[in-house]
Amino acid sequence: MASQRRALTQTQWTAFLDTAELCPTPQFVKLACEHVLRHWPSDLDISHVSIPATARDVVFSVFERAEHEFGWQYVNHALGYITAAKHGLSEPELLDVLSCDEKIMDELVMKTELPRRRFPFLLWSELRQALGNLLVFSGVDNSCVMRWSCHLVQQVAEDRYLTRTVKRDRHSALADFFLGRWHGVAKPYRCKQRVEDGILATDMEEDRDVMAQPLVFPSAPTEVRNGEEEGDDGDAPVMTSDATLRYNLRKLSELPYHLVESGRLQVLRHSLLTDYQWILTKLKASGVASLIADFDPLVPHLPQSSEECSASDELRLLRDSLVLAGPSLRQSPGHVAAELLTRLGPLLNGSGSGGDDGSGNKGNISKKWPLLQKLFDAALSEPAASVTPLGCPFKTAGQHAMSVLRSHSKAVTCLALKQAKHSPCRFARPSPYSCGSECSSPNGYQWTREARFIGRL
C-alpha cells in the first residue's frame, strides 16, 4: 500500500484484519491489498462494503469488475482463450483470435466504427491493465506469452470462462488459428448495421490479417555453396544448416493439444501425426519424447485388440515404431526417414509380424493402412532415405518388443519387474542392431518402476 501511496483509515484496517483472520494466508493478503484495498477511498463507509473472505473470492471480484466495465461477452471470450491455451497466448496471437471471433466483432462494430474488421489493441490493453498482476508475462517456446499468475487464478478462470458448453468452441478457435486457416483468406461474416426499422444484415467477407503458421519460419541464414569459392560464379545449391532454422514452436506445442480438446481427432490423425513433415520438424525442434507424447491422448480411443487392423491401429503401430527408434532419433532426428522405412516396410509389404491379412495376399495389407502407406511414400521420397538397410535388421512394431532401455549397449543381467494381470513378463535379449536393450511382453504388459530386482538372466 505504501508503494502505491495509499493509506487506509483505522476503521478500514480493523475491518480488513477481522476478515483476514478468517483466511490467514499470504496469498489472500497480497491479492486483497492489490485488488481490493487500493480501490477504497478514504471516506468509504466500510459498513456498506462486502469484503471478499477468501483468495478465490478476491479473484472472482476482479473478474466481475472487469465484466461490468468492458462487457461480459468480450471479457468471457478473451479470458476464455487465455485460459484454454496450453501455455498461454502472446498478445498478437490473442488479437488474431479475437479478430476472427464474429460474436466479439459484431458487438464491437455495433458500438463503434472500425476502419477494418480487426480487433483494436487499445481495447485489449485496457482490460489487461484492469486485471493487474493476475495476468503475467513469461517466456515460452521462444515467445513472450500471457498466462495466469498462479494455479488458483487458473482454476477460477476455468470455472467462469471455460465451462463445458463453451470449452470446445474456445479450443476449436485456437486450433483454427494455429492451423493457419484464416491466413490470407477473406473470412465471411454477416455485417449488421442499424437502420430506422431495425438491424440490416448483409453477407460480406474480409481478410483479418492473421499471421501465418508455417512449421518453419522463413529466415535469412548464412549461405554456404557446395564446390564454390568466393568470387566464383555458378548455380551450386544453397545448403542451410538446421541450427539457423526458426521452428514454429508455438504451433508444434499448442496445435495437437487444441485438436484433442476440441474433439477434432481426425484432423490430428491425418494432418499431423501421420504427416512426414510434421514428424520430422517436431523431432528436430522438440525431440522424440515430445512427438510420442502427442500420441498419448489418442491411446484411450485406440482398440486394444491387436488382431483387428483399423485406422486407429495405424497410430499404435506408428507410435510403437517411434518408441523403438527413440534412442537413435535422440541422437540423429534427421534419420527418421530411414527408421520409418525399415520398421514400417515389413508391415506394409506383409513380411513383418501381423502383416498377413489371413488371405495369403500379404501385399494387400497396405490397403488397410492408408495413413501408414502415405507416410511411407513420403519418407521414401526424402533424400535422407537414399541409403537404407536391406532386409529388416530392426525390431518392427506389432512384435513383442515394446520399448528400449537406454544406456544398455550390452546384455542386461538384472531386471526390475512387476507382475501384471497374474501373467509373467519376459525379456528379450538385445539385438546387435539396436542402440539399447528391448523390453518384450507377449501379452502386451508394460514394465513399471515399482518392483525389485528379482533375479539374474
Side-chain angles (χ1 to χ4, degrees):
M1 296 291 292
S3 62
Q4 299 176 3
R5 298 183 179 181
R6 299 300 303 266
L8 300 179
T9 63
Q10 186 61 36
T11 304
Q12 292 173 342
W13 268 119
T14 302
F16 171 69
L17 292 178
D18 291 341
T19 305
E21 290 181 356
L22 302 177
C23 185
T25 61
Q27 186 181 40
F28 168 74
V29 175
K30 180 180 179 180
L31 290 173
C33 290
E34 294 176 348
H35 297 283
V36 178
L37 303 185
R38 70 185 184 93
H39 294 284
W40 286 359
S42 299
D43 57 349
L44 178 66
D45 186 2
I46 200 64
S47 60
H48 297 85
V49 177
S50 177
I51 305 177
T54 62
R56 183 183 179 88
D57 294 338
V58 174
V59 178
F60 192 85
S61 65
V62 175
F63 289 157
E64 276 191 330
R65 185 166 58 245
E67 293 168 3
H68 182 267
E69 181 178 355
F70 299 99
W72 178 86
Q73 184 164 256
Y74 162 47
V75 176
N76 182 281
H77 284 229
L79 301 189
Y81 290 130
I82 297 176
T83 307
K86 184 179 181 180
H87 298 301
L89 290 175
S90 65
E91 288 188 326
E93 292 171 350
L94 179 61
L95 294 177
D96 284 348
V97 175
L98 290 175
S99 299
C100 295
D101 192 327
E102 302 305 338
K103 292 183 179 180
I104 296 297
M105 296 307 301
D106 289 343
E107 182 182 34
L108 187 60
V109 169
M110 297 294 289
K111 295 179 180 179
T112 182
E113 294 184 2
L114 298 176
R116 56 175 182 163
R117 201 171 178 85
R118 174 80 182 176
F119 193 86
F121 172 77
L122 181 60
L123 185 58
W124 159 247
S125 64
E126 293 175 352
L127 175 57
R128 184 192 63 193
Q129 186 176 4
L131 295 174
N133 61 357
L134 294 185
L135 205 62
V136 297
F137 288 88
S138 60
V140 177
D141 297 330
N142 294 337
S143 300
C144 183
V145 302
M146 301 174 295
R147 58 197 309 180
W148 298 117
S149 58
C150 62
H151 183 65
L152 172 66
V153 182
Q154 176 74 21
Q155 283 185 327
V156 177
E158 288 180 358
D159 296 341
R160 192 170 182 85
Y161 302 121
L162 209 62
T163 59
R164 183 177 301 178
T165 56
V166 301
K167 184 176 181 179
R168 282 201 170 190
D169 294 337
R170 301 292 180 266
H171 285 290
S172 184
L174 291 172
D176 287 338
F177 167 72
F178 286 107
L179 281 170
R181 179 181 178 183
W182 302 116
H183 168 68
V185 178
K187 191 176 188 295
Y189 67 97
R190 292 184 64 85
C191 179
K192 298 179 180 181
Q193 298 177 345
R194 293 186 180 274
V195 294
E196 296 181 358
D197 299 336
I199 298 178
L200 177 64
T202 307
D203 293 334
M204 301 182 66
E205 59 182 18
E206 184 177 345
D207 190 354
R208 313 300 170 87
D209 294 334
V210 178
M211 68 177 72
Q213 293 292 335
L215 291 176
V216 181
F217 289 114
S219 59
T222 303
E223 297 182 354
V224 179
R225 297 184 179 273
N226 288 340
E228 181 180 357
E229 297 181 357
E230 186 176 358
D232 294 342
D233 296 331
D235 297 329
V238 178
M239 304 299 293
T240 304
S241 173
D242 290 342
T244 62
L245 297 178
R246 294 176 55 243
Y247 297 105
N248 191 351
L249 299 179
R250 295 289 298 152
K251 177 176 182 176
L252 295 172
S253 174
E254 294 280 341
L255 182 55
Y257 171 74
H258 293 300
L259 289 176
V260 171
E261 293 297 327
S262 61
R264 299 163 65 176
L265 302 182
Q266 290 294 331
V267 179
L268 181 62
R269 290 191 186 105
H270 292 78
S271 301
L272 270 67
L273 299 184
T274 56
D275 181 73
Y276 177 76
Q277 290 301 325
W278 172 272
I279 293 176
L280 178 62
T281 305
K282 183 105 179 183
L283 282 173
K284 291 183 177 180
S286 305
V288 65
S290 178
L291 175 61
I292 295 175
D294 292 341
F295 289 82
D296 294 340
L298 294 177
V299 171
H301 303 281
L302 300 181
Q304 299 299 324
S305 176
S306 60
E307 298 178 358
E308 299 179 2
C309 299
S310 63
S312 297
D313 267 332
E314 295 180 278
L315 295 183
R316 187 186 299 279
L317 292 173
L318 178 56
R319 181 187 181 278
D320 292 346
S321 298
L322 293 173
V323 170
L324 295 175
S328 174
L329 296 179
R330 289 185 184 94
Q331 300 295 329
S332 304
H335 293 171
V336 62
E339 291 284 349
L340 292 176
L341 291 176
T342 307
R343 297 183 186 273
L344 296 180
L347 297 174
L348 298 176
N349 297 329
S351 59
S353 177
D356 196 344
D357 61 357
S359 61
N361 298 323
K362 298 183 177 182
N364 294 333
I365 196 65
S366 61
K367 297 180 180 179
K368 294 186 177 181
W369 298 327
L371 297 180
L372 288 183
Q373 186 64 51
K374 181 193 70 172
L375 177 61
F376 184 85
D377 295 339
L380 191 61
S381 62
E382 282 293 307
S386 58
V387 179
T388 56
L390 296 175
C392 182
F394 302 130
K395 291 288 184 181
T396 59
Q399 298 180 349
H400 295 327
M402 296 175 57
S403 185
V404 176
L405 301 178
R406 298 183 61 187
S407 305
H408 287 278
S409 57
K410 298 181 180 180
V412 177
T413 59
C414 199
L415 291 178
L417 307 179
K418 180 182 179 181
Q419 188 173 352
K421 296 183 180 180
H422 307 287
S423 178
C425 293
R426 299 179 182 178
F427 183 79
R429 290 289 184 179
S431 170
Y433 302 100
S434 63
C435 299
S437 301
E438 300 185 351
C439 298
S440 67
S441 176
N443 296 320
Y445 304 116
Q446 298 181 357
W447 303 109
T448 65
R449 303 179 181 177
E450 303 175 3
R452 301 177 179 177
F453 291 110
I454 61 173
R456 294 184 178 275
L457 298 179

